[in-house]
Amino acid sequence: MKLFNRFLSVFCVGALVVFSACEDDDPTPENVPEVITRAELTFTAIDNSSAPAVVVTATDADGIGSAEELEADGPINLRANVTYALSIKLYNDLFDAGEEGYDVTEEVDEEDEEHWFFFGFTSGVFSNPTGNGNIISASFPNNGTVRYADEDDDGRPLGLLTNWTTINDNSGSGKIFRVILKHFDEVEKTDDSTSDDGETDIDVTFVINVTQPS
Amino acid sequence: MLHVLKAVFTFFLLGYAVALVAQTNCGFRLRGRVLNESQEPLAGATVVLTEPSKGESTNQEGAFEFRNVCAGRYTVEVRFVGYQAQQQVVSVPQSDDVVFALVVDATQLNEVVVTDRRAENPVSTATVITAKQLEAAPGKSLGEVLQTVSGVNSIQSGPAIFKPVIHGVHSQRVLILNNGIRQEGQQWGAEHAPEIDPFTAHTITVIKDAGAIKYGTDALGGVIIITPAELPEEPGLGGQVNMIANSNNRGLTFSGMLEGGLAKPGWGWRVQGTGKYAGDSRAPDYVLSNTGFREQNFSAALGYHRKNKGVEVYYSQFNTEIGILKGSSTSNGNDLVAAIENEPPRLTAPFTYAIGQPRQEVRHDLIKLNGHLSQGAHTWQVQYGFQYNERQEFDIRRGSLRQRPQLAFDLFTHTLDVDWETAHENRIRCRGINGMFQDNNKIDGTSTIPFIPNFRHYSVGAFWIEQFRGPRWDTEIGVRYDYRLYDASGFTLLNRPYESQVQFHNMSGTLGATRKLSPGHKLINTLATAWRPPNVAELYSAGTHQSVATIEYGLLLTPDGTAVRDYRDSNVRPEQAVKWVSTYQWTARAFSLEVSAYANYIANYIYLRPRGVNSTIRGFFPLSVYTQTDASFLGADLKTTWQWNRELSSEAKASWLRATDERENDFLIFIPSNRVELSMRYEPHRTLGTARLFAEARGRYVARQQRAPRVVRMPDIIDNALMGRDIIEEDPRNFDFVAPPPAYVWLGCSVGAEIPAGKTRMTVRLAAENLLNTSYREYTNRMRYYADEVGRNINLALKWAF
């Protein structure tokens, strides 16, 4: 019995220590490496049209939490009847430039067999490809194709680099251009993978205008 | 303020230490015997003691004993097959044995099947799930077991996660007392089930009125009390072994218990452990991939009980790992569309025991120290509880982060309860103080912005209850005062630190009266007020968590979610509830009826309300914001039993509930729909050898929830958002992504035998659940968006008690 009492007293003293030991202790911030805060789309003319390059960005300061709404600049003002190469860069601005984790493009490139960019657009913007792209959506039936200019290690499309030829008139104004990056981890990326499979890394939409130079 | 509180806590603890060393602790015993008309002992009779409701059975000598009984007046009721039930009012302390001489029930020589026993607290509507009923739900989780009580449902997240709902309210509004200690775990999502092993329970009591003032704030909906069996006091060894196998998830459960008394009289101990191992469940048409689970629980108790004093130490640990349906994992609103539309769910794979992402790992530890002492009419009790809860949620993540949890928190809780009861002839007075301290910290290294902040929580409360018992009326009146402080430091969605302090204090009260009508008839009325300060998740949540493709903002977040407002500048208020419950009971020989009607009005009711669509770089997410409204819950529960003849009995239960968002005149989401349950039980009078056989059939009809919020389809939300229109913001009424599932009928049956062999007893039970293998969905299961409920399950349970 005495032993038991002693045990209890020791326990209670222990509990007291726990109480007084709680003097703390601001939480340490976490690195948030999975986040993409900025997507940069660069359209560069690859024919001899000498059309200027067009750069648009979608910025989401917090990436995940959406405290700050996504701000997509643009519109994407392309010149009619020009073939552009679209190159996509992804960044995590919660890191400083140069820090590991800042340039997410590198990661996507390294894990290319786990990633796939899908594109959706209003028909009548491009002469090649035609249709609506390959995103499955009610408003953009995926009846189109995308000209992928790169591939992953397994020879499947990736989409960091794609080619686009604009229509040859003025009708392509106020249209929509949407990019989805899918990440295939739980499900494998296969030839049949669609924009409905995998996890979404980015999903951004821009207004696109195609005009003839006046 | 903080320092003062800390001092108060330290004082409590010191006082407690002193009290323990001075060895001042205990309770009374109430002993008795049950005999028949020829003065022969009746073994196995059921003896029920009122408030705190306890049940015992008589031994071979017809004797029974209740330990740790506080001074006061009680009603003791004895029931036995073929005899008329008998009640006696006894005073405690009582030096003589209470003797019951039961009279054969001439008109009805058969058993009244006691499936649901009323606690005889004069002024409370309580239902007890007896040890026997627990036996009939072998290996089920706590939330699942509780569903046997009419008026109690659960919010489910897949086949293994059940969160109890009493009269339509849930989560923090239902208080769970585990072994006398207020259960504290992390509460920031509907997928958090109580971390309790039902095998530790001897009985479970559900108090459905808000009058549980003794136990603290928050009990707006009711209280669930989990009571283990009393520890042995005499030398000897006993125990039981349970083995359960399930066909549907190919799961096995094993639970064992061993108890005994030490050579020194008064000392008793018990150790108990449970292990569960289950793979994927199966709906009638497909495997519910990644719904397996594991559980390892352990508990040990040591106690000393003497005539008027006692001490007890209890330790329990609960560990679980539960898979969440793969097909419910979504990374944005668009994925949610695909997840909802795909049938069978996405990522459905062949059966496996393996658990992948998403999944959760939860651990809960409880240490309890209890001491009580009685002297004359007075009983003092001191109880200290320490709880540790670790919760980690793993989601589908990238690369090297795959093995890291998305969310991980540690919660430490200390509680101290001191109460003092004085029992006179017709009057019982109880007063006490409660203190609680909590410390919650994120576990570093998740590489995500924490969903809730680190916080410390200090609470103190005091109550005073008076009970008067008269020949026709029993009345109770009680008041309570509480103070609570949160001291939080977390990160905004921009990963910038913030600090916040919030204080609450409030009075609450209860008023109850029971009118004893003619013999067999009784009317219980209670009116209680209760309050509940918002919990930390409701105040500070920011972001998204497991398989909820929704962003959630707490009450104190600014509209853009980037900062936390000062509580004093906000219009956030604690919830205030007024709950009225009237229960009419009619007990006749072969028939019983109980009807309860209730009205619960909760002002400042806190819930997640859809506010709009947030566009993020990952696409569109619905945004839900914790909002306050006034809600009303009107309902009725009905239960009736018939004894058709000596071998056949039946039971019918029904519950009806109507919940309304009074401010917006709208419906609330996830409100259990109306339901009816019928069961028949056949127990042949003749035994097979020594074995007593039984067969049971059960059917449940669950209506479609007609009072559900409107439906807004996710594709419409997204397509409009693409065009720059936020259709949720335009019409911010409550909504749901899919319509409530249709009504369904569920059938089950079981057969079994009880085989006494010397001093041991063996029970075998073979049950079929969802007998017809019906495909259906339950409105209050979050899995309903993605998949059907579990199909047919054959359950074999063996129990050996020695």
Side-chain angles (χ1 to χ4, degrees):
Chain A
M1 194 59 219
K2 241 179 191 161
L3 188 76
F4 184 57
N5 281 337
R6 199 169 302 149
F7 164 74
L8 285 179
S9 328
V10 167
F11 182 85
C12 292
V13 170
L16 281 178
V17 172
V18 171
F19 268 98
S20 38
C22 312
E23 208 62 62
D24 58 356
D25 110 312
D26 282 328
T28 46
E30 294 281 338
N31 278 329
V32 277
E34 273 172 313
V35 177
I36 297 170
T37 62
R38 187 155 52 93
E40 197 178 273
L41 278 61
T42 308
F43 289 85
T44 319
I46 52 171
D47 51 15
N48 47 16
S49 65
S50 73
V54 175
V55 182
V56 291
T57 36
T59 313
D60 190 5
D62 58 344
I64 30 170
S66 314
E68 304 216 326
E69 290 266 313
L70 175 75
E71 281 177 27
D73 63 6
I76 303 170
N77 289 320
L78 301 185
R79 205 181 276 180
N81 198 25
V82 173
T83 300
Y84 289 94
L86 165 60
S87 130
I88 299 175
K89 296 265 183 218
L90 306 171
Y91 300 100
N92 178 357
D93 290 300
L94 297 177
F95 288 96
D96 290 329
E99 260 186 290
E100 195 185 335
Y102 169 74
D103 188 351
V104 187
T105 327
E106 285 173 15
E107 189 196 316
V108 172
D109 202 21
E110 275 161 31
E111 297 174 2
D112 52 8
E113 70 286 357
E114 286 182 14
H115 289 94
W116 194 339
F117 283 92
F118 295 89
F119 300 85
F121 41 88
T122 325
S123 57
V125 180
F126 301 109
S127 60
N128 185 11
T130 52
N132 294 107
N134 58 3
I135 288 174
I136 297 176
S137 151
S139 46
F140 296 98
N142 58 322
N143 57 1
T145 52
V146 171
R147 286 156 68 197
Y148 288 94
D150 55 2
E151 57 183 33
D152 66 17
D153 294 345
D154 300 328
R156 296 195 182 92
L158 173 61
L160 278 171
L161 214 57
T162 44
N163 292 335
W164 308 86
T165 307
T166 49
I167 48 158
N168 191 16
D169 59 42
N170 263 330
S171 64
S173 275
K175 304 293 172 75
I176 276 173
F177 188 77
R178 180 176 176 196
V179 182
I180 291 179
L181 171 60
K182 280 289 181 169
H183 181 221
F184 296 87
D185 179 20
E186 282 290 319
V187 278
E188 241 176 85
K189 179 177 169 183
T190 67
D191 293 339
D192 301 327
S193 295
T194 70
S195 67
D196 265 359
D197 303 319
E199 305 290 309
T200 307
D201 278 348
I202 67 160
D203 182 351
V204 291
T205 303
F206 295 90
V207 172
I208 187 165
N209 299 318
V210 175
T211 45
Q212 286 172 320
S214 44
Chain B
M1 193 62 228
L2 275 173
H3 291 281
V4 175
L5 270 170
K6 213 168 265 176
V8 171
F9 275 100
T10 312
F11 175 75
F12 273 1
L13 274 175
L14 270 177
Y16 183 49
V18 170
L20 279 170
V21 174
Q23 213 199 88
T24 58
N25 298 305
C26 331
F28 292 107
R29 284 190 205 197
L30 177 65
R31 294 176 206 254
R33 295 188 77 199
V34 179
L35 309 170
N36 66 11
E37 283 155 297
S38 21
Q39 300 296 302
E40 288 158 350
L42 288 174
T46 306
V47 188
V48 185
L49 177 71
T50 59
E51 169 58 13
S53 65
K54 295 181 176 190
E56 289 289 337
S57 324
T58 52
N59 63 15
Q60 294 297 319
E61 285 73 49
F64 65 87
E65 185 185 73
F66 292 100
R67 282 175 230 143
N68 306 332
V69 180
C70 304
R73 289 186 75 208
Y74 299 88
T75 307
V76 179
E77 186 177 279
V78 175
R79 295 182 200 183
F80 193 66
V81 191
Y83 291 84
Q84 290 178 17
Q86 206 177 87
Q87 290 191 351
Q88 279 190 40
V89 176
V90 297
S91 300
V92 173
Q94 168 115 2
S95 48
D96 303 327
D97 280 9
V98 187
V99 178
F100 289 84
L102 295 192
V103 180
V104 172
D105 192 334
T107 56
Q108 179 219 336
L109 253 176
N110 50 32
E111 183 174 6
V112 176
V113 179
V114 188
T115 45
D116 201 83
R117 200 175 52 198
R118 295 210 47 76
E120 297 267 341
N121 178 355
V123 279
S124 180
T125 309
T127 307
V128 180
I129 303 175
T130 60
K132 190 126 196 164
Q133 285 169 291
L134 281 169
E135 206 173 88
K140 304 282 185 209
S141 69
L142 179 69
E144 234 173 331
V145 171
L146 286 165
Q147 292 189 99
T148 56
V149 176
S150 60
V152 181
N153 303 87
S154 58
I155 289 196
Q156 258 177 279
S157 303
I161 303 176
F162 290 79
K163 198 177 185 101
V165 179
I166 299 180
H167 286 168
V169 308
H170 56 86
S171 301
Q172 289 289 80
R173 301 179 190 93
V174 171
L175 194 60
I176 300 178
L177 287 178
N178 180 10
N179 211 325
I181 302 283
R182 189 190 155 102
Q183 175 82 5
E184 286 292 329
Q186 286 161 53
Q187 293 281 356
W188 32 265
E191 75 278 23
H192 300 199
E195 306 86 358
I196 293 171
D197 177 8
F199 278 112
T200 60
H202 180 63
T203 57
I204 300 175
T205 308
V206 179
I207 299 178
K208 289 185 267 186
D209 50 42
I213 204 169
K214 193 171 164 179
Y215 308 115
T217 57
D218 301 353
L220 269 56
V223 184
I224 295 164
I225 302 172
I226 291 146
T227 317
E230 302 274 332
L231 286 173
E233 286 178 38
E234 311 298 334
L237 200 64
Q240 65 177 52
V241 175
N242 286 280
M243 272 176 291
I244 298 132
N246 286 298
S247 68
N248 188 289
N249 57 16
R250 303 186 205 173
L252 279 176
T253 297
F254 183 86
S255 182
M257 185 272 282
L258 208 58
E259 62 182 9
L262 299 183
K264 269 193 171 176
W267 285 92
W269 58 270
R270 176 182 300 127
V271 290
Q272 177 270 345
T274 302
K276 293 184 183 177
Y277 193 91
D280 293 335
S281 289
R282 210 190 140 79
D285 299 326
Y286 42 80
V287 172
L288 298 167
S289 281
N290 203 44
T291 54
F293 59 91
R294 322 269 184 261
E295 207 175 294
Q296 302 96 38
N297 310 319
F298 166 79
S299 72
L302 178 70
Y304 169 77
H305 293 280
R306 257 4 233 158
K307 227 176 177 176
N308 61 343
K309 57 192 175 197
V311 288
E312 208 174 297
V313 195
Y314 175 85
Y315 171 73
S316 70
Q317 191 186 96
F318 176 94
N319 288 288
T320 188
E321 181 183 6
I322 307 180
I324 309 277
L325 182 77
K326 271 232 151 91
S328 70
S329 144
T330 54
S331 48
N332 71 4
N334 231 22
D335 292 358
L336 182 65
V337 177
I340 289 172
E341 285 171 357
N342 279 32
E343 189 77 15
R346 294 194 305 169
L347 308 175
T348 294
F351 172 89
T352 171
Y353 282 103
I355 298 175
Q357 325 298 33
R359 70 196 158 92
Q360 42 181 262
E361 281 178 23
V362 180
R363 171 179 169 161
H364 188 272
D365 290 61
L366 165 67
I367 296 172
K368 177 185 112 162
L369 301 175
N370 174 293
H372 52 99
L373 171 74
S374 300
Q375 208 141 49
H378 301 283
T379 304
W380 293 272
Q381 175 161 260
V382 188
Q383 184 160 276
Y384 165 74
F386 168 76
Q387 295 174 74
Y388 169 70
N389 175 222
E390 180 187 286
R391 180 172 197 95
Q392 302 193 66
E393 294 190 353
F394 296 82
D395 266 321
I396 295 167
R397 301 185 74 178
R398 289 214 210 139
S400 58
L401 295 171
R402 232 163 265 173
Q403 296 314 314
R404 292 205 211 168
Q406 183 97 355
L407 296 170
F409 296 96
D410 264 343
L411 176 69
F412 295 87
T413 307
H414 302 262
T415 50
L416 187 73
D417 305 302
V418 181
D419 56 68
W420 171 24
E421 195 172 282
T422 314
H424 298 293
E425 190 66 4
N426 289 316
R427 187 168 160 179
I428 295 171
R429 171 179 296 167
C430 190
R431 52 279 207 210
I433 45 176
N434 314 109
M436 176 155 86
F437 168 72
Q438 280 189 326
D439 190 13
N440 182 79
N441 289 295
K442 76 182 175 78
I443 300 171
D444 292 341
T446 57
S447 291
T448 54
I449 294 169
F451 183 68
I452 54 163
N454 285 9
F455 67 88
R456 261 177 265 148
H457 163 187
Y458 305 80
S459 278
V460 278
F463 65 89
W464 186 293
I465 301 167
E466 298 272 349
Q467 260 183 29
F468 305 94
R469 305 199 178 190
R472 310 208 64 178
W473 288 91
D474 287 337
T475 50
E476 180 181 279
I477 182 163
V479 288
R480 182 180 176 94
Y481 173 80
D482 287 281
Y483 170 83
R484 180 178 291 193
L485 169 80
Y486 295 135
D487 187 6
S489 46
F491 294 91
T492 67
L493 289 166
L494 298 175
N495 213 7
R496 294 191 196 113
Y498 70 84
E499 304 261 333
S500 172
Q501 273 203 8
V502 185
Q503 296 181 55
F504 306 91
H505 66 110
N506 209 327
M507 295 287 295
S508 44
T510 171
L511 198 61
T514 298
R515 173 87 162 106
K516 294 163 212 163
L517 306 167
S518 54
H521 300 264
K522 205 163 154 185
L523 188 63
I524 304 168
N525 295 295
T526 57
L527 181 70
T529 65
W531 75 294
R532 184 181 77 91
N535 75 6
V536 166
E538 289 163 335
L539 290 172
Y540 303 106
S541 284
T544 168
H545 62 101
Q546 199 152 48
S547 38
V548 189
T550 303
I551 292 164
E552 297 175 4
Y553 286 179
L555 286 163
L556 288 183
L557 262 65
T558 51
D560 66 357
T562 50
V564 169
R565 293 177 295 166
D566 191 323
Y567 175 72
R568 281 159 299 188
D569 304 336
S570 72
N571 50 8
V572 178
R573 295 289 170 267
E575 286 185 354
Q576 292 280 358
V578 182
K579 189 171 183 182
W580 160 76
V581 185
S582 275
T583 304
Y584 168 70
Q585 293 167 3
W586 176 21
T587 319
R589 274 193 186 142
F591 170 76
S592 79
L593 172 74
E594 178 179 313
V595 187
S596 280
Y598 59 89
N600 192 0
Y601 188 88
I602 304 180
N604 309 319
Y605 178 78
I606 301 168
Y607 71 110
L608 270 172
R609 186 180 185 83
R611 199 189 70 188
V613 180
N614 258 18
S615 62
T616 81
I617 201 151
R618 250 165 57 183
F620 297 103
F621 277 86
L623 167 67
S624 284
V625 180
Y626 279 102
T627 309
Q628 295 193 288
T629 186
D630 298 330
S632 71
F633 299 83
L634 287 178
D637 300 330
L638 176 139
K639 191 187 145 180
T640 169
T641 58
W642 295 276
Q643 189 76 37
W644 297 98
N645 58 40
R646 60 201 291 179
E647 298 183 319
L648 191 66
S649 62
S650 65
E651 184 186 271
K653 286 191 282 199
S655 62
W656 176 82
L657 169 62
R658 188 190 153 95
T660 313
D661 177 339
E662 296 286 352
R663 266 190 222 167
E664 310 287 336
N665 195 21
D666 197 359
F667 300 132
L668 295 167
I669 197 168
F670 278 113
I671 298 298
S673 47
N674 304 331
R675 55 200 65 206
V676 183
E677 190 173 311
L678 295 171
S679 66
M680 293 285 263
R681 188 178 165 95
Y682 175 69
E683 258 180 280
H685 199 63
R686 287 182 52 185
T687 56
L688 189 75
T690 56
R692 290 184 57 185
L693 307 176
F694 67 86
E696 208 173 48
R698 193 171 289 277
R700 187 160 66 218
Y701 169 78
V702 177
R704 182 171 189 269
Q705 181 53 279
Q706 303 291 351
R707 298 174 56 81
R710 73 200 167 114
V711 175
V712 181
R713 293 172 60 251
M714 198 66 213
D716 296 337
I717 297 173
I718 293 174
D719 290 340
N720 279 293
L722 281 171
M723 305 300 168
R725 248 186 89 189
D726 187 336
I727 58 170
I728 303 175
E729 203 172 6
E730 284 170 15
D731 181 3
R733 279 182 299 156
N734 285 330
F735 74 90
D736 199 350
F737 297 123
V738 295
Y744 67 88
V745 173
W746 184 99
L747 296 179
C749 65
S750 59
V751 289
E754 225 173 82
I755 312 152
K759 284 197 150 183
T760 71
R761 186 171 68 103
M762 179 97 177
T763 313
V764 185
R765 174 186 290 269
L766 184 70
E769 295 155 357
N770 193 2
L771 188 66
L772 302 180
N773 206 23
T774 313
S775 292
Y776 70 100
R777 295 186 184 199
E778 165 60 52
Y779 178 63
T780 56
N781 188 346
R782 282 152 29 102
M783 195 179 75
R784 75 178 152 97
Y785 294 115
Y786 318 106
D788 290 339
E789 290 284 331
V790 172
R792 186 186 298 125
N793 179 36
I794 309 291
N795 169 292
L796 175 69
L798 301 175
K799 178 178 173 177
W800 183 49
F802 55 91

